[in-house]
Amino acid sequence: MPSATGEKVWIIPDGYIPELSSGALTSHESICVLNTASEDAELTITIFFEDRDPIENIAEVVPARRTKHIRTSSLNNDGTYIPVGVPYAIEVKSSIPIIVQYSRLDATQAENALMSVIAYPIK
């Protein structure tokens, strides 16, 4: 049986969904999760803000032996979404160890920029 790889808690301190995009691409961010285990990973995601209460208990599932790219603009709890143009941070908690990567496509100008980093694992 394949075992789980990674950690159960991950932090992404810098999130931001731009209000505008230019050209054919839309600016977006993704939480990229790899589950190497033979069981599903049940995620609980919390979104933190500078000036408001967090959006808590956002549930996602990453199937066994799969990867899942979760657009942050799709995350919500009871219809409360991450607002555009507002800085935020992300906490990802998992039922089993996983690997988390964070990617941002900035299409606010004609010269697009893509950033991708490994999230910070909490041991």
Side-chain angles (χ1 to χ4, degrees), residues 64-87:
R65 310 278 300 149
R66 297 288 185 264
T67 185
K68 186 172 186 178
H69 292 69
I70 305 163
R71 288 256 183 126
T72 59
S73 60
S74 71
L75 295 173
N76 78 92
N77 185 348
D78 292 328
T80 301
Y81 290 83
I82 301 170
V84 297
V86 174

Side-chain angles (χ1 to χ4, degrees), residues 12 14-16 29-30 90 100-104 115-117:
I12 302 164
D14 177 34
Y16 184 81
E29 298 178 322
S30 293
I90 306 166
V100 176
Q101 179 181 341
Y102 171 74
S103 296
R104 176 187 294 161
M115 173 192 77
S116 189
V117 298

Side-chain angles (χ1 to χ4, degrees), residues 40-96:
D40 292 353
E42 297 175 6
L43 309 183
T44 302
I45 300 170
T46 301
I47 307 298
F48 293 93
F49 301 98
E50 295 176 349
D51 61 352
R52 63 189 83 191
D53 290 337
I55 302 172
E56 300 182 86
N57 300 315
I58 301 168
E60 290 283 342
V61 174
V62 182
R65 310 278 300 149
R66 297 288 185 264
T67 185
K68 186 172 186 178
H69 292 69
I70 305 163
R71 288 256 183 126
T72 59
S73 60
S74 71
L75 295 173
N76 78 92
N77 185 348
D78 292 328
T80 301
Y81 290 83
I82 301 170
V84 297
V86 174
Y88 64 92
I90 306 166
E91 176 186 67
V92 179
K93 291 184 176 180
S94 176
S95 58
I96 61 172

Side-chain angles (χ1 to χ4, degrees), residues 8-20:
K8 290 184 176 183
V9 180
W10 294 82
I11 301 294
I12 302 164
D14 177 34
Y16 184 81
I17 303 170
E19 296 178 60
L20 303 173

